[in-house]
Each structure stands twice: as structure tokens, then as C-alpha cells.
Amino acid sequence: MNFDLTPEQDQLRDAVRALGRKYGHGYFVEKAKAGEHTTELWNEAGRLGYLGVNIPTEYGGGGGGITELAIVCEELAAAGCPLLLLVVSPAIAATVIAKHGTDEQRKRHLPGLADGSQKIVFAITEPEAGSNFHRLGTVARRDGDDWLLSGRKCYISGVDEANHVLVVARTEDASTGKLKPALFIVPTDAPGLTRSKLDMEILSPENQFLLYLDDVRLPADALLGESLDAGLPALFAGLNPERITVAAMGAGTGRYAIERASDYTATRKVWGGRSIGSHQGVAHPLAHAAVQVELTRLMINKAATLYDAGRDLEAGVAGNMAKYAAGEAAALAVDTAVQALGGAGMTTEYGVATLLGAVRAGRIAPVSREMILNFVAQHVLGQDKSY
């Protein structure tokens, strides 16, 4: 058992940390409040190779795994710049295309995903079905050699920044007549695809959208993979990377909040010339939050290591646990930091209350804490399925 990063991973962590601090939380907040995107940070991260660390080298990537991408997610978040599209585009879309796309789809999309010039977002969630792919209402049907997609999607991140959206739909299996999942790579400017922005109480440079697909016509090669049989394994291929990188982003956000609060409490003096951090009522909650964040990081490392070793079932358990732990730890860390800073904690200047909405959402999305507990109860504890 080895808890040390490789020299290359250490170098990656240091380099990404430096990039994140070059921009910082002030940049992140300024962009979010202006309704703009963190384009400069994204482009520089792509130019330096950080967005494609998990993409095979033959397509311009770094040839690493989700371990390396988790490092990128965590360190940018620890610098106050948690980028949600790192999860959506490099973690989900690039993984799915690399593992299950056709040769032509890999050649067409992976180089752009690696250097950041292309973004592909992911659309599974629906107003009625949530993310339960068994009940998805978005349907794909054949029309000659083409496909026609119809349905609705919600809470789709970053559509306004993306070239394509990876849409999860259902198709009829000719042999059984039953519906089965299939994924389609859809241009965001395709006729029949429209969107409306969802107003969210989350300070973020990345927007959420409702998508409407009204007989969106696609060529045959828009279907991900060689056949419809690729749909189900492709769908599951993106789940573990999603859980792990979301968890890494949460852990980084928790580290950022604790660091901000610790710097403040170590120097703020009010009573008798002693720092407020010398009082256990202030220090202990911060220390407790720090313990929870560090425990989360251990589970993230375990999950990423298992995933990169090809141990998908074990990575599924660890990834879900990591995501659960990160949601709780990040929310605790930010809330504790706000409390430790007092009134200053609610100001924009001190940069912790600006993260309250995002960390609260981390306990809900991309999978709720309750569904993770259901998963653990069923698959780890051997309990009957409750839903």
C-alpha cells in the first residue's frame, strides 16, 4: 500500500496549483457575477495539457488516468476555481468516447477535448425521470439512414460553451421490441435542438439549461459506438469518473475554505491580544472539518486507483463513497469557515460565502446522498433494494 504520488503526479499537482493561484478565487467570482465564463483559465489549462491528462497520447492527451484528472480538479478547486466542466467534458465525455466510440469518433473529438478547444457536455437528466435511464422519455428512432431524437433534458451544464452534447436516449431493440439506452453526439447548433437557461442560486461561471429536442435529425455516425450494443456500457463508463472528479472538486473546495479560515483565525485578535484561533471553540470545528476533508481525499485516491486499474465494480463502491464523503466534507468546511470568520465570512472579499451554493449542490448532484446510501446498503451491506 503506497500513499505517495509518483514524481510525475507531484509535478502535475504543483503545476496545476500554480496555475490556479495565478487566477484565484477573485477571478472566478468576477467571471461568475458578470455572467461570463472562465475562458482564459480553461484555454491556458488546455494549452498546458492539464485538460487532457486522462486522454490517450495518440489523440494528443497525457496518457494518464482519472487519478491525474482528479489531481487537476482538486488543485484548481483548492485555488478557489472549481470548474464543473472538467467533470463533464474530460471526465465523462472523453472517457466515454475513448472507451466506446468508433475510431472516427475518437479521431474527430478527442484531440479537441485534450487541448480544450472542444467541449462536449452530457445530457441524461430529465424532468420526470431524473437520471433513471430505465424511465427516460427521450427517444431515438430510425428514419432511413438517419436518427430522429425527441425529448427533454434538464440541469444540463455548459451547453452554451460546448460544441456538442452527448445525449442519452432510448431506442427500440428490433429483436425484443424493448427500449434500450443509446448515446448520441449531437452538435449544439443542430436544427430542432433548443435550450433555455435555468436560473440557479449558485455562484458559478457555468450555466444550467433545459434542453428541448424536437425531431433532431442526426446522421448514422452520430450514434456513439459501432452499434446499439455500445449504449449501456458507454453509459456506465462515465459514472465512476464523474463521481471521482466531482469528489476531487469538493475536496479541493474544502481545502480552500479551511485555508482561508485558518489564515484569518491565526492572525485575527480581539480578546486580550490572543488570536481567535487559539480558542478551542474556533479551532476545533476547523480541525474537525480538516479531518473530514483529508479522509475524503483518501477515499478519492482509492477510488481513482481502483478505476485506473480496471477494477470497475470496486471503483463503483469507492467512487460513490468518495462522492458522498466529499459532499458532506465540502459543505461542512465552507460552513465552518464562514462561521469562523464571522461577519467577514459573509463578504465577497473573504471568498468563502461565495461557495455556499455550490457545496450545497454537491450533496445533491450528480447523484444525491440518499441514492448513494441506497447503493451502499444494497451492494455493500446486502440489504434488499428499497426503490
Side-chain angles (χ1 to χ4, degrees):
M1 186 176 296
N2 186 355
F3 292 97
D4 293 328
L5 298 177
T6 67
E8 293 77 14
Q9 290 167 342
D10 264 327
Q11 291 169 9
L12 176 65
R13 185 179 292 281
D14 291 343
V16 176
R17 180 186 299 121
L19 175 64
R21 289 181 175 177
K22 173 182 173 181
Y23 287 87
H25 190 59
Y27 163 84
F28 180 89
V29 171
E30 179 184 353
K31 289 292 184 179
K33 288 193 171 183
E36 299 174 355
H37 305 305
T38 51
T39 306
E40 301 86 356
L41 172 55
W42 183 272
N43 288 344
E44 187 165 356
R47 190 164 58 250
L48 294 170
Y50 304 150
L51 303 181
V53 290
N54 62 310
I55 292 175
T57 55
E58 58 264 40
Y59 302 107
I66 293 303
T67 298
E68 284 74 20
L69 187 59
I71 289 171
V72 175
C73 291
E74 181 180 347
E75 290 306 321
L76 287 180
C81 299
L83 300 186
L84 179 58
L85 287 191
L86 278 171
V87 174
V88 179
S89 196
I92 300 176
T95 299
V96 168
I97 292 171
K99 285 181 174 289
H100 297 284
T102 64
D103 288 341
E104 177 57 33
Q105 287 167 347
R106 295 188 190 104
K107 293 174 184 176
R108 188 186 312 161
H109 297 292
L110 290 180
L113 291 172
D115 66 20
S117 61
Q118 182 175 178
K119 297 174 185 174
I120 299 181
V121 296
F122 185 62
I124 182 172
T125 307
E126 294 186 357
E128 302 300 325
S131 57
N132 180 1
F133 73 87
H134 294 290
R135 296 185 175 275
L136 294 182
T138 300
V139 174
R141 66 184 190 278
R142 286 282 194 184
D143 186 50
D145 291 333
D146 294 343
W147 290 97
L148 292 176
L149 265 65
S150 294
R152 292 188 302 160
K153 299 291 182 180
C154 61
Y155 304 116
I156 309 306
S157 306
V159 181
D160 55 334
E161 301 180 64
N163 314 84
H164 295 82
V165 54
L166 192 58
V167 176
V168 183
R170 304 195 74 198
T171 62
E172 184 175 327
D173 187 329
S175 61
T176 66
K178 295 181 179 179
L179 293 176
K180 59 191 298 185
L183 279 67
F184 294 86
I185 305 174
V186 182
T188 50
D189 61 356
L193 176 64
T194 57
R195 65 179 187 246
S196 61
K197 183 181 173 185
L198 282 165
D199 291 327
M200 307 291 290
E201 295 300 322
I202 299 172
L203 186 64
S204 172
E206 294 139 336
N207 298 313
Q208 302 291 315
F209 290 89
L210 289 165
L211 291 188
Y212 307 92
L213 299 103
D214 185 14
D215 279 347
V216 176
R217 182 174 293 275
L218 299 170
D221 62 0
L223 174 70
L224 183 89
E226 299 289 352
S227 71
L228 288 175
D229 291 335
L232 190 59
L235 176 59
F236 281 110
L239 295 184
N240 286 337
E242 175 192 58
R243 306 290 196 262
I244 294 166
T245 50
V246 164
M249 191 167 64
T253 301
R255 284 173 51 203
Y256 167 82
I258 292 167
E259 180 180 346
R260 295 287 291 173
S262 298
D263 289 346
Y264 180 87
T265 56
T267 56
R268 173 72 167 165
K269 296 179 180 179
V270 179
W271 309 111
R274 298 173 62 189
S275 69
I276 62 174
S278 67
H279 298 281
Q280 292 179 356
V282 175
H284 281 189
L286 285 173
H288 173 64
V291 169
Q292 301 310 305
V293 169
E294 190 61 23
L295 291 173
T296 295
R297 296 179 75 202
L298 288 172
M299 184 54 76
I300 294 167
N301 289 339
K302 178 179 180 179
T305 299
L306 289 169
Y307 180 82
D308 289 338
R311 295 160 65 178
D312 289 344
L313 291 177
E314 295 163 281
V317 173
N320 274 292
M321 288 183 172
K323 193 276 169 186
Y324 179 95
E328 302 300 302
L332 174 67
V334 172
D335 186 67
T336 302
V338 170
Q339 190 69 25
L341 269 68
M346 296 304 297
T347 66
T348 302
E349 176 187 358
Y350 282 87
V352 284
T354 45
L355 294 165
L356 282 168
V359 295
R360 187 60 186 84
R363 300 175 75 208
I364 300 169
V367 58
S368 72
R369 63 192 300 274
E370 289 76 19
M371 286 306 295
I372 292 177
L373 292 175
N374 283 336
F375 177 91
V376 172
Q378 180 183 346
H379 294 282
V380 179
L381 306 182
Q383 304 303 302
D384 288 339
K385 192 174 183 178
S386 62
Y387 56 95

